[in-house]
Amino acid sequence: MNKGRKTIHALVIILTMLAAVRTAAQVRFTADERFELTGIAAYLAGYPEYSMCRIPSYQSDIAGTFGTYRDHELVQYLRRLRADRGIAYDAVTTSAQMLKISGGCVSLHPDASPEKLCQADPRWSTEALTEYVGLLDRFYRDTDFQDFYDAHTGLYGAGAAAVSRYCGIDTAWFHSFFGRYPGHPETYLSFVNGPCNYALPDRGSMPGFGILMGMPFDPQSTSQLVLFEKNGWTDFVRVLIHELCHNFTNPLYARHSAHFARAAARIFEDPEIRKSMMERAYGRPDIMTCEWMNTLFTAMCLREHGWLYPWMYGYSTTAESLSFSWYVSCVEAEEKFPWLISSIEAMDGFYEERGRFMTVDDYMPVLIMHYRQVSRRLDRERRKLDGLHPEITDVYVDSTSAATIKVTFRFSQSMRTNSYSAEQHPDTTVKLPPDHPRWFDLRVRNPLERGVDYRDDTMTLSISRNALERGRTYGFLMRGQFYQSLMGFDMKEDYPFIFQY
């Protein structure tokens, strides 16, 4: 461990956070010793979700400093807690929020309520929590953890400064949508968590609410800072909005949970959905339903700011909106909630009658009815989702020109025209057209000069006749993954194309 690590200078990043900022409040992230301590302990216990640190030097320092403590009594106890009580993921984080580190000791904060934590999260018991905190205190002193934490303050400060530049939050949206402002959440950055993020909701176990975000890149790397500036911030902002929404969604869902319960149980019985939910630690129907609802409300924040399917709602399409739209389509809907697209459409009524529905709480009867309908038509929801993947519906070959042959492909959806593929056909006797390299020559600014006309739902490729051999078979393979609809769905199958000249 290099205690004399130089101060890390972050790049200056200029960004207007939201497309239509009304009332912006800057969120400042800080590292916190409680979360590094508990995260590192979980890492030593082999928790996968705390073993994805994205800073190689930091992970190396952790292994070098604490490697000999993998059999410490705390670490062994954490392994038993995970196996016996399911203590993992957010259970580690929400309990860490209740800690106080002072005078070289770890204890429960005087304002913490273990009873309320156990009511909100039955994975914990007061006995288990008491023993856990006592062992944390012993581990903290046995390992001289404070020295380790103090030695990395430069890293912590640089990371916090880098991501805080992106966190101007439209507080007026939360008031308009939920009926109250987010106030001043406690926002923390964990350097051991990697991509994992957790809400710290106000459940009575500790005053206030907050968010723990994993440090998404190595702030010591200039190249990673540049990549984050270019496109990585969209993931960070989306997660930030998602976790902020939890503080509003969770109590809202709790008030209406009884009306969702039967539909939630029916959906959770579906084998595919149950498997997917369990893999994400959404281990009960109510957890799944609350996460779906929070994902839907996060999508509405993106929608209102022109970041979700902007062409549907009167906004201009940007690189950022394409990134957000892809995530909602291909991760949230495709991998988690196959009924999410229908749910987004179900929110149209909320916006069409805002005079009637002042906040989303007023709209809950509609969402309850929608959820009940979803629970009875999961197969239909899956078919709907499958239908959003683009397909090639027609192919036109225009050979009227003496100079070129034009091949036009028509897709079933409007497409993202900045990505396409034409590579060697599986049949190696089929020759690639001689124009193939020219199509992908990005040095030629005008796509038409490259022989490509790709817009909306059609793509036309021009093939020069003068290099074609009569009687020869030409063609190529169009890789489905490179052809995406505006919504972000890709072609499910590759498309082989051949023609004989």
Side-chain angles (χ1 to χ4, degrees):
M1 176 173 59
N2 182 8
K3 295 186 178 181
R5 182 170 291 140
K6 297 180 180 180
T7 302
I8 305 163
H9 298 284
L11 296 180
V12 177
I13 303 172
I14 301 173
L15 176 71
T16 302
M17 249 291 297
L18 296 174
V21 175
R22 291 166 287 186
T23 303
Q26 197 71 20
V27 174
R28 294 293 179 188
F29 281 87
T30 59
D32 189 286
E33 193 173 12
R34 297 170 297 172
F35 301 112
E36 293 306 305
L37 169 65
T38 52
I40 288 172
Y43 158 74
L44 294 173
Y47 285 29
E49 67 274 22
Y50 289 90
S51 303
M52 294 184 280
C53 175
R54 290 179 168 174
I55 307 172
S57 63
Y58 189 57
Q59 189 166 29
S60 177
D61 286 350
I62 291 171
T65 303
F66 302 105
T68 57
Y69 295 94
R70 291 184 184 275
D71 291 323
H72 190 277
E73 194 173 355
L74 167 68
V75 179
Q76 295 184 50
Y77 187 61
L78 275 169
R79 292 182 186 128
R80 294 200 299 274
L81 283 177
R82 187 182 184 98
D84 299 340
R85 303 190 62 91
I87 298 297
Y89 295 95
D90 63 320
V92 176
T93 299
T94 53
S95 61
Q97 186 189 20
M98 301 169 61
L99 299 176
K100 178 181 179 181
I101 300 179
S102 178
C105 297
V106 181
S107 62
L108 278 174
H109 195 281
D111 296 332
S113 172
E115 294 78 14
K116 289 186 177 179
L117 172 68
C118 298
Q119 289 173 8
D121 187 349
R123 290 174 293 181
W124 283 109
S125 69
T126 53
E127 295 78 14
L129 183 64
T130 299
E131 185 171 358
Y132 172 59
V133 174
L135 291 173
L136 273 171
D137 176 55
R138 187 182 306 171
F139 178 84
Y140 184 84
R141 289 182 280 108
D142 289 349
T143 62
D144 295 321
F145 189 87
Q146 185 176 350
D147 288 346
F148 175 87
Y149 187 82
D150 291 345
H152 291 85
T153 54
L155 174 68
Y156 301 148
V163 300
S164 291
R165 291 189 179 94
Y166 290 86
C167 301
I169 300 301
D170 181 8
T171 55
W173 178 83
F174 290 91
H175 182 264
S176 170
F177 192 79
F178 292 107
R180 62 187 179 93
Y181 289 102
H184 300 284
E186 299 172 15
T187 47
Y188 303 106
L189 202 60
S190 171
F191 287 72
V192 70
N193 275 28
C196 295
N197 314 281
Y198 303 106
L200 304 169
D202 183 1
R203 301 187 293 191
S205 57
M206 191 70 186
F209 80 99
I211 303 168
L212 180 70
M213 302 280 284
M215 183 65 205
F217 63 95
D218 186 350
Q220 301 165 116
S221 168
T222 300
S223 61
Q224 289 190 34
L225 276 166
V226 170
L227 286 174
F228 184 76
E229 177 186 15
K230 184 176 180 181
N231 50 32
W233 65 270
T234 56
D235 286 337
F236 192 85
V237 169
R238 174 187 48 76
V239 173
L240 175 58
I241 295 170
H242 179 94
E243 299 299 350
L244 278 174
C245 279
H246 262 300
N247 192 58
F248 301 88
T249 302
N250 291 14
L252 179 62
Y253 174 71
R255 291 199 300 274
H256 298 277
S257 60
H259 300 291
F260 285 96
R262 185 175 296 181
R266 189 180 293 118
I267 293 172
F268 201 74
E269 287 174 358
D270 182 273
E272 291 182 25
I273 290 175
R274 185 184 184 90
K275 180 177 183 293
S276 175
M277 295 300 109
M278 296 298 288
E279 288 172 351
R280 291 167 173 79
Y282 304 160
R284 301 195 311 264
D286 59 325
I287 296 175
M288 171 193 71
T289 304
C290 189
E291 283 294 334
W292 154 76
M293 186 180 293
N294 196 65
T295 298
L296 176 61
F297 294 163
T298 301
M300 293 305 99
C301 183
L302 300 177
R303 168 178 171 167
E304 288 194 47
H305 289 89
W307 277 348
L308 179 68
Y309 313 147
W311 54 92
M312 296 183 184
Y313 307 119
Y315 294 95
S316 298
T317 301
T318 64
E320 293 79 15
S321 68
L322 291 175
S323 176
F324 285 119
S325 297
W326 173 86
Y327 191 89
V328 170
S329 297
C330 298
V331 179
E332 302 290 21
E334 192 94 61
E335 298 181 11
K336 297 180 185 177
F337 311 111
W339 64 93
L340 180 61
I341 302 301
S342 289
S343 301
I344 291 171
E345 293 171 352
M347 288 298 296
D348 288 347
F350 175 70
Y351 293 103
E352 291 167 0
E353 297 188 64
R354 283 309 299 268
R356 175 185 173 194
F357 304 113
M358 300 303 292
T359 70
V360 73
D361 196 4
D362 302 322
Y363 198 64
M364 291 303 287
V366 179
L367 286 181
I368 291 166
M369 183 60 66
H370 163 72
Y371 204 61
R372 289 173 178 173
Q373 292 171 348
V374 163
S375 72
R376 296 184 177 94
R377 64 184 191 201
L378 283 173
D379 286 343
R380 189 192 307 178
E381 295 293 341
R382 289 190 174 102
R383 289 194 298 270
K384 177 185 178 72
L385 200 61
D386 283 343
L388 292 173
H389 286 269
E391 299 176 344
I392 293 175
T393 58
D394 293 293
V395 181
Y396 305 95
V397 178
D398 181 358
S399 57
T400 57
S401 169
T404 60
I405 296 173
K406 294 184 182 294
V407 183
T408 299
F409 301 90
R410 184 175 295 278
F411 298 88
S412 59
Q413 311 277 343
S414 294
M415 303 294 288
R416 300 185 175 198
T417 59
N418 60 341
S419 172
Y420 60 98
S421 155
E423 57 188 75
Q424 179 61 55
H425 193 279
D427 183 348
T428 56
T429 64
V430 175
K431 187 175 181 180
L432 275 167
D435 298 274
H436 166 256
R438 186 167 64 99
W439 294 337
F440 299 94
D441 188 352
L442 299 183
R443 294 171 298 178
V444 180
R445 297 288 183 90
N446 185 352
L448 292 177
E449 293 179 12
R450 299 202 306 264
V452 180
D453 185 10
Y454 197 2
R455 64 184 75 185
D456 194 30
D457 62 348
T458 62
M459 181 181 72
T460 299
L461 301 177
S462 297
I463 304 172
S464 301
R465 286 180 177 271
N466 58 8
L468 299 179
E469 302 174 30
R470 292 195 176 276
R472 189 70 184 263
T473 300
Y474 293 90
F476 44 82
L477 183 71
M478 301 165 69
R479 290 282 183 197
Q481 68 193 75
F482 292 106
Y483 293 87
Q484 291 185 338
S485 69
L486 274 180
M487 291 182 73
F489 296 103
D490 57 19
M491 289 203 307
K492 281 195 168 184
E493 297 181 355
D494 299 339
Y495 188 90
F497 172 75
I498 61 172
F499 69 95
Q500 189 171 32
Y501 185 67

